[in-house]
Amino acid sequence: MCQHAGCPPHVCFIIPPHMMEHVATNASDPTLRKRALHNLYHQGQLRGMRASMNQFAFAGLGTGTKQRTVYDAQHGGDLPGTLVRSEGQPDGQDVAVNEAYAYAGQTYDFYLEVMKRNSVDDKGMRLDSTVHYSTDYDNAFWNGQQMVYGDGDGEIFDRFTKCLDVIGHELTHGVTQFTAGLTYSSQSGALNESFSDVFGSLIKQYAAGDTADQADWLIGEGLLIPKAGTNRTALRSMKAPGTAYDDPTLGKDPQPATMKDYYSGSDDNYGVHINSGIPNHAFYLAATAIGGKAWETAGLIWYETLTTRLQLWSEFKDAAAATREVAQKHGAAAAKAVDDAWTAVGL
Amino acid sequence: MSTDQAAAPPVLIECQRQGGIAFPLRRPTISVAVAGLDEADRQALMRLVQAADLASQPAAFPAPGYPDALETQLTVAWPDHSATVRFRDGDGHPAPLDELAGWVLRHKR
């Protein structure tokens, strides 16, 4: 076991974070940069030192300097794959590449224009995406450094680049990683998921110019391939958790809307995609009660909470308390709407 | 891989997935009985099983906990023993495990 002062039992990092940051920023070998970034991510997680990520300047791009790259995994598992598009290059023939590029741009624009945030790290981090990951792959994920998208199986799922809110969801995992760092398990993990759904939905609403009462409040609408006699509306519904799909092949959407139906099993990292229905619904209730465009008030309250009030193991009650407190800055009506929303879901 | 494992064909392959952005709950286990395969499929599966080399893999790869990572559990059963491995997106598992899992899932479709 490591004897270094400050290292937790059984865990030791021989390279100090500032050296790793230097390698991740300056090394000419992309493999070394990638490895250093990977190590930084895990050091930050294990030591609870998200400052090691927050303070890290990466490319140090100025505010408003959008940098996107898209890679093609060519149905393999190696990341990032072959570079197929860089910032400023025009659309090509590959729809998934075009979507990954365009929707990453819309997500960047939302965070910059609405939240005054310069990319996921607020320091202009380049947005890397890999498409055509694996074969018949029914998923999209954030690996701590980039987004990864599968093509779907063509029977149940369409390609995972298809929906702007799904891409906004994945990139918001990056924002969470660089801010609250919510641990991906139990209630902190469900909050992590919920913030990704909230901002994924807001990014879609912002792009469409929808008010809260015009929005569909669905996540991944159109991702499921329709089938007669089944409900394949979307992955999740913030308005009515538990109703997004119901299908003999897929089962029924298991999300609860309130604490009364809280999932206490161990699947899904102790319910991160399941219990996220509860804070999701609270946001929907708050945003529709406030009215107007959801990103203008409710979105700002949730963003300030994520970026300044929550931490690794925050729970639902912490998010409820923090948003109630932050909402008071936005007037009595907003404060009441947020308070009522959390009360309605049992918090 | 052991000599026994190389020589004897498996009798059953099972694959189960859970997690990912789309469906949080554990999905039904997909099973492929080797006895029911035609010769071409059996040969293809044998090559994938040998490449995946479950006997040399850890029972589970350390999970980095990446958001929305999909978890796969693969089991290969021989007449007198079986081997199971669990892995997730981004945990560094060997590509042949994905290839074997993909084959099983596609075969049952």
Side-chain angles (χ1 to χ4, degrees), chain A residues 274-333:
Chain A
I274 303 172
N275 290 322
S276 56
I278 297 165
N280 275 3
H281 194 53
F283 181 83
Y284 160 79
L285 291 172
T288 49
I290 292 168
K293 291 169 175 169
W295 61 87
E296 291 180 345
T297 301
L300 293 179
I301 294 167
W302 256 246
Y303 179 74
E304 182 175 340
T305 298
L306 174 66
T307 55
T308 68
R309 305 299 180 103
L310 301 182
Q311 51 191 326
L312 295 175
W313 291 101
S314 292
E315 298 184 341
F316 288 179
K317 63 179 170 44
D318 303 313
T323 51
R324 280 177 164 125
E325 188 181 319
V326 173
Q328 291 174 10
K329 298 179 186 179
H330 295 266

XYZ file of all heavy atoms in Angstrom, chain A residues 274-333:
460
model
N -33.499 5.709 -13.524
C -34.878 5.449 -13.087
C -35.341 6.589 -12.170
O -36.277 7.325 -12.478
C -34.967 4.076 -12.384
C -34.478 2.972 -13.318
C -36.392 3.810 -11.926
C -34.337 1.602 -12.673
N -34.637 6.765 -11.046
C -35.070 7.794 -10.099
C -34.830 9.216 -10.596
O -35.332 10.169 -9.983
C -34.377 7.565 -8.757
C -34.910 6.313 -8.076
O -36.103 6.031 -8.139
N -34.025 5.541 -7.455
N -34.104 9.365 -11.684
C -33.951 10.707 -12.272
C -35.308 11.258 -12.692
O -35.463 12.476 -12.868
C -33.001 10.668 -13.469
O -33.446 9.731 -14.436
N -36.304 10.387 -12.831
C -37.656 10.851 -13.153
C -38.191 11.824 -12.110
O -38.984 12.722 -12.447
N -37.750 11.671 -10.864
C -38.289 12.514 -9.776
C -37.779 13.958 -9.902
O -38.597 14.886 -9.999
C -37.976 11.869 -8.410
C -38.697 10.509 -8.311
C -38.390 12.800 -7.268
C -38.201 9.613 -7.183
N -36.462 14.200 -9.921
C -36.018 15.586 -10.142
C -36.370 16.111 -11.537
O -36.596 17.313 -11.707
C -34.499 15.533 -9.924
C -34.126 14.093 -9.975
C -35.333 13.330 -9.566
N -36.445 15.222 -12.530
C -36.902 15.656 -13.862
C -38.301 16.262 -13.783
O -38.582 17.316 -14.351
C -36.976 14.460 -14.831
C -35.657 14.145 -15.489
O -34.648 14.770 -15.198
N -35.659 13.156 -16.365
N -39.174 15.554 -13.064
C -40.558 16.025 -12.977
C -40.634 17.322 -12.165
O -41.435 18.217 -12.495
C -41.434 14.932 -12.358
C -42.894 15.177 -12.523
N -43.481 15.422 -13.747
C -43.905 15.254 -11.607
C -44.782 15.609 -13.583
N -45.057 15.533 -12.292
N -39.796 17.418 -11.148
C -39.775 18.668 -10.365
C -39.390 19.838 -11.267
O -39.987 20.923 -11.180
C -38.797 18.540 -9.195
N -38.419 19.622 -12.139
C -38.024 20.715 -13.040
C -39.163 21.076 -13.980
O -39.456 22.261 -14.200
C -36.776 20.344 -13.859
C -36.352 21.470 -14.756
C -35.577 22.508 -14.266
C -36.756 21.524 -16.087
C -35.213 23.580 -15.078
C -36.407 22.588 -16.905
C -35.623 23.614 -16.399
N -39.794 20.060 -14.531
C -40.936 20.330 -15.437
C -42.011 21.148 -14.722
O -42.528 22.135 -15.265
C -41.517 18.994 -15.943
C -42.924 19.142 -16.457
C -43.171 19.661 -17.728
C -44.022 18.811 -15.649
C -44.467 19.836 -18.181
C -45.312 18.981 -16.091
C -45.538 19.503 -17.359
O -46.824 19.690 -17.800
N -42.358 20.739 -13.495
C -43.409 21.448 -12.748
C -42.992 22.891 -12.474
O -43.798 23.821 -12.615
C -43.698 20.715 -11.429
C -44.372 19.341 -11.546
C -44.420 18.652 -10.187
C -45.776 19.467 -12.141
N -41.741 23.088 -12.087
C -41.262 24.441 -11.789
C -41.280 25.303 -13.055
O -41.770 26.443 -13.045
C -39.857 24.378 -11.202
N -40.754 24.749 -14.135
C -40.634 25.528 -15.383
C -41.998 25.899 -15.944
O -42.201 27.029 -16.415
C -39.834 24.735 -16.415
N -42.944 24.985 -15.905
C -44.272 25.295 -16.458
C -45.047 26.233 -15.534
O -45.850 27.037 -16.002
C -45.080 24.004 -16.723
O -45.036 23.179 -15.558
C -44.503 23.236 -17.892
N -44.796 26.135 -14.241
C -45.456 27.069 -13.319
C -44.911 28.486 -13.501
O -45.663 29.465 -13.450
C -45.271 26.605 -11.875
N -43.617 28.592 -13.703
C -42.998 29.914 -13.936
C -43.472 30.474 -15.271
O -43.756 31.661 -15.403
C -41.457 29.799 -13.886
C -41.002 29.481 -12.459
C -40.796 31.088 -14.389
C -39.539 29.060 -12.347
N -43.574 29.611 -16.268
C -44.058 30.012 -17.586
C -42.973 30.637 -18.449
O -41.827 30.788 -18.026
N -43.328 30.959 -19.670
C -42.355 31.549 -20.598
C -41.358 30.515 -21.074
O -41.667 29.318 -21.146
N -40.173 30.972 -21.427
C -39.135 30.073 -21.926
C -38.356 29.486 -20.748
O -37.807 30.231 -19.929
C -38.235 30.835 -22.893
C -38.996 31.175 -24.176
C -38.288 32.138 -25.072
C -39.096 32.300 -26.367
N -38.617 33.408 -27.190
N -38.307 28.167 -20.717
C -37.838 27.481 -19.508
C -36.379 27.771 -19.192
O -35.965 27.688 -18.037
C -38.064 25.973 -19.657
N -35.602 28.097 -20.218
C -34.183 28.327 -19.950
C -33.933 29.699 -19.312
O -32.884 29.926 -18.732
C -33.361 28.205 -21.240
C -33.739 29.188 -22.321
C -33.256 30.460 -22.473
C -34.670 28.983 -23.385
N -33.834 31.049 -23.565
C -34.707 30.166 -24.153
C -35.475 27.904 -23.764
C -35.521 30.306 -25.278
C -36.287 28.048 -24.882
C -36.306 29.236 -25.624
N -34.922 30.584 -19.377
C -34.689 31.957 -18.919
C -34.713 32.105 -17.403
O -34.047 32.990 -16.856
C -35.715 32.903 -19.552
C -35.485 33.073 -21.047
C -36.490 34.006 -21.698
O -37.532 34.300 -21.083
O -36.230 34.433 -22.839
N -35.499 31.279 -16.729
C -35.521 31.366 -15.261
C -35.221 30.000 -14.634
O -34.218 29.839 -13.933
C -36.886 31.896 -14.775
O -37.109 33.185 -15.352
C -36.898 32.023 -13.253
N -36.079 29.027 -14.878
C -35.863 27.704 -14.267
C -34.491 27.151 -14.658
O -33.766 26.602 -13.815
C -36.970 26.746 -14.694
N -34.120 27.300 -15.925
C -32.820 26.801 -16.386
C -31.665 27.472 -15.662
O -30.685 26.806 -15.286
N -31.783 28.770 -15.449
C -30.703 29.485 -14.742
C -30.589 29.020 -13.290
O -29.489 28.907 -12.744
C -30.955 30.998 -14.792
C -30.852 31.668 -16.161
C -31.149 33.162 -16.043
C -29.481 31.456 -16.790
N -31.737 28.771 -12.670
C -31.727 28.293 -11.269
C -31.032 26.932 -11.193
O -30.171 26.701 -10.348
C -33.177 28.197 -10.730
C -33.793 29.597 -10.644
C -33.196 27.496 -9.368
C -35.316 29.589 -10.418
N -31.411 26.049 -12.095
C -30.818 24.698 -12.082
C -29.319 24.764 -12.429
O -28.519 24.049 -11.856
C -31.588 23.786 -13.045
C -32.510 22.815 -12.351
C -32.387 21.457 -12.320
C -33.704 23.113 -11.600
N -33.427 20.897 -11.607
C -34.243 21.885 -11.152
C -34.367 24.286 -11.248
C -35.408 21.794 -10.381
C -35.520 24.205 -10.483
C -36.028 22.980 -10.053
N -28.966 25.665 -13.356
C -27.553 25.758 -13.749
C -26.697 26.282 -12.581
O -25.625 25.732 -12.298
C -27.411 26.688 -14.954
C -25.965 26.850 -15.402
C -25.313 25.825 -16.075
C -25.256 28.015 -15.111
C -23.991 25.957 -16.460
C -23.931 28.152 -15.492
C -23.303 27.130 -16.170
O -21.991 27.254 -16.536
N -27.190 27.304 -11.913
C -26.409 27.819 -10.765
C -26.287 26.753 -9.678
O -25.235 26.603 -9.055
C -27.066 29.083 -10.199
C -26.255 29.673 -9.041
C -26.793 30.995 -8.521
O -27.553 31.673 -9.243
O -26.439 31.351 -7.372
N -27.344 25.995 -9.487
C -27.306 24.906 -8.494
C -26.254 23.865 -8.877
O -25.436 23.458 -8.040
C -28.700 24.249 -8.392
O -29.628 25.237 -7.942
C -28.684 23.074 -7.436
N -26.277 23.439 -10.136
C -25.313 22.424 -10.590
C -23.874 22.911 -10.456
O -22.990 22.166 -10.028
C -25.598 22.046 -12.053
C -24.579 21.108 -12.718
C -24.599 19.726 -12.060
C -24.853 20.979 -14.215
N -23.646 24.140 -10.833
C -22.256 24.607 -10.961
C -21.687 25.209 -9.676
O -20.473 25.362 -9.573
C -22.133 25.641 -12.097
O -23.072 26.702 -11.865
C -22.425 24.999 -13.444
N -22.552 25.533 -8.719
C -22.013 26.179 -7.502
C -22.491 25.582 -6.188
O -21.924 25.894 -5.144
C -22.367 27.688 -7.473
O -23.787 27.836 -7.302
C -21.920 28.387 -8.741
N -23.539 24.762 -6.210
C -24.114 24.328 -4.929
C -23.971 22.845 -4.636
O -24.092 22.448 -3.480
C -25.604 24.683 -4.864
C -25.929 26.160 -5.100
C -25.284 27.031 -4.053
N -25.567 28.430 -4.257
C -26.463 29.136 -3.558
N -27.160 28.550 -2.621
N -26.644 30.406 -3.815
N -23.811 22.039 -5.652
C -23.803 20.585 -5.428
C -22.389 20.032 -5.487
O -21.472 20.665 -6.021
C -24.703 19.888 -6.455
C -26.168 20.319 -6.453
C -26.966 19.516 -7.485
C -26.793 20.176 -5.077
N -22.237 18.815 -4.954
C -20.923 18.173 -4.958
C -21.053 16.669 -5.179
O -22.140 16.186 -5.478
C -20.191 18.497 -3.670
C -21.006 18.226 -2.418
C -20.352 18.800 -1.184
O -19.140 18.835 -1.095
N -21.146 19.241 -0.225
N -19.950 15.957 -5.000
C -19.868 14.557 -5.416
C -21.047 13.691 -4.968
O -21.590 12.932 -5.753
C -18.577 13.915 -4.889
C -17.262 14.462 -5.430
C -16.086 13.795 -4.714
C -17.161 14.214 -6.925
N -21.416 13.766 -3.698
C -22.419 12.848 -3.159
C -23.716 13.559 -2.809
O -24.460 13.101 -1.939
C -21.861 12.106 -1.942
C -20.790 11.132 -2.310
C -19.448 11.296 -2.184
C -20.967 9.838 -2.907
N -18.775 10.195 -2.650
C -19.673 9.280 -3.098
C -22.086 9.101 -3.288
C -19.484 8.018 -3.668
C -21.888 7.835 -3.847
C -20.597 7.314 -4.029
N -24.010 14.673 -3.455
C -25.257 15.386 -3.177
C -26.458 14.480 -3.458
O -26.439 13.665 -4.376
C -25.356 16.641 -4.043
O -24.388 17.580 -3.647
N -27.491 14.668 -2.671
C -28.718 13.875 -2.819
C -29.878 14.775 -3.244
O -29.726 15.992 -3.355
C -29.035 13.165 -1.497
C -27.941 12.185 -1.100
C -28.290 11.398 0.146
O -29.184 11.828 0.901
O -27.657 10.349 0.350
N -31.037 14.147 -3.441
C -32.207 14.902 -3.900
C -32.527 16.059 -2.952
O -32.871 17.158 -3.388
C -33.431 13.984 -3.999
C -33.399 13.001 -5.144
C -34.436 12.096 -5.330
C -32.337 12.973 -6.050
C -34.425 11.193 -6.380
C -32.310 12.068 -7.104
C -33.367 11.175 -7.256
N -32.451 15.794 -1.652
C -32.815 16.850 -0.691
C -31.838 18.031 -0.812
O -32.239 19.180 -0.596
C -32.827 16.301 0.737
C -31.487 15.795 1.245
C -31.605 15.301 2.677
C -30.371 14.566 3.167
N -29.073 15.154 2.861
N -30.604 17.759 -1.157
C -29.627 18.841 -1.330
C -29.976 19.679 -2.564
O -29.878 20.906 -2.536
C -28.215 18.270 -1.478
C -27.827 17.394 -0.297
O -28.054 17.827 0.855
O -27.325 16.282 -0.523
N -30.350 18.984 -3.650
C -30.726 19.704 -4.872
C -31.988 20.518 -4.636
O -32.109 21.657 -5.099
C -30.934 18.722 -6.022
N -32.940 19.932 -3.906
C -34.189 20.656 -3.614
C -33.896 21.903 -2.780
O -34.389 22.999 -3.073
C -35.166 19.730 -2.894
N -33.083 21.735 -1.743
C -32.769 22.883 -0.867
C -32.019 23.965 -1.649
O -32.306 25.163 -1.505
C -31.946 22.403 0.328
N -31.072 23.534 -2.475
C -30.251 24.511 -3.208
C -31.070 25.269 -4.248
O -30.945 26.497 -4.381
C -29.084 23.795 -3.882
N -31.916 24.553 -4.984
C -32.721 25.257 -5.997
C -33.740 26.177 -5.333
O -34.019 27.263 -5.840
C -33.445 24.266 -6.939
O -34.136 23.301 -6.156
C -32.477 23.581 -7.874
N -34.294 25.759 -4.196
C -35.224 26.641 -3.456
C -34.504 27.939 -3.058
O -35.059 29.029 -3.177
C -35.737 25.934 -2.202
C -36.860 24.941 -2.479
C -37.282 24.214 -1.203
N -38.570 23.549 -1.357
C -38.772 22.252 -1.128
N -37.782 21.482 -0.729
N -39.973 21.732 -1.286
N -33.271 27.783 -2.618
C -32.519 28.967 -2.172
C -32.167 29.862 -3.365
O -32.372 31.084 -3.315
C -31.250 28.508 -1.455
C -30.478 29.626 -0.789
C -29.210 29.097 -0.125
O -29.258 28.011 0.489
O -28.168 29.760 -0.242
N -31.656 29.252 -4.438
C -31.254 30.036 -5.613
C -32.473 30.712 -6.255
O -32.390 31.855 -6.732
C -30.536 29.127 -6.641
C -30.263 29.881 -7.941
C -29.244 28.579 -6.062
N -33.617 30.030 -6.212
C -34.826 30.574 -6.853
C -35.245 31.912 -6.241
O -35.874 32.741 -6.916
C -35.958 29.561 -6.738
N -34.896 32.127 -4.972
C -35.291 33.380 -4.312
C -34.673 34.601 -4.992
O -35.211 35.706 -4.904
C -34.914 33.317 -2.834
C -35.769 32.307 -2.075
C -35.340 32.112 -0.640
O -34.512 32.853 -0.131
N -35.917 31.116 0.016
N -33.564 34.405 -5.687
C -32.939 35.516 -6.424
C -33.791 35.945 -7.620
O -33.565 36.996 -8.201
C -31.564 35.102 -6.954
C -30.543 34.742 -5.912
C -29.256 34.333 -6.633
C -28.210 33.826 -5.686
N -26.990 33.410 -6.407
N -34.709 35.056 -8.025
C -35.493 35.309 -9.239
C -36.916 35.761 -8.936
O -37.767 35.725 -9.828
C -35.491 34.045 -10.109
C -34.135 33.691 -10.622
N -33.662 34.088 -11.852
C -33.114 33.003 -10.040
C -32.422 33.639 -12.014
N -32.069 32.973 -10.925
N -37.175 36.154 -7.707
C -38.482 36.702 -7.361
C -39.362 35.700 -6.641
O -39.121 34.483 -6.654
N -40.408 36.233 -6.036
C -41.282 35.419 -5.192
C -42.030 34.362 -5.990
O -42.227 33.234 -5.514
C -42.263 36.324 -4.464
N -42.436 34.707 -7.199
C -43.208 33.746 -7.997
C -42.349 32.538 -8.371
O -42.802 31.383 -8.297
C -43.745 34.411 -9.259
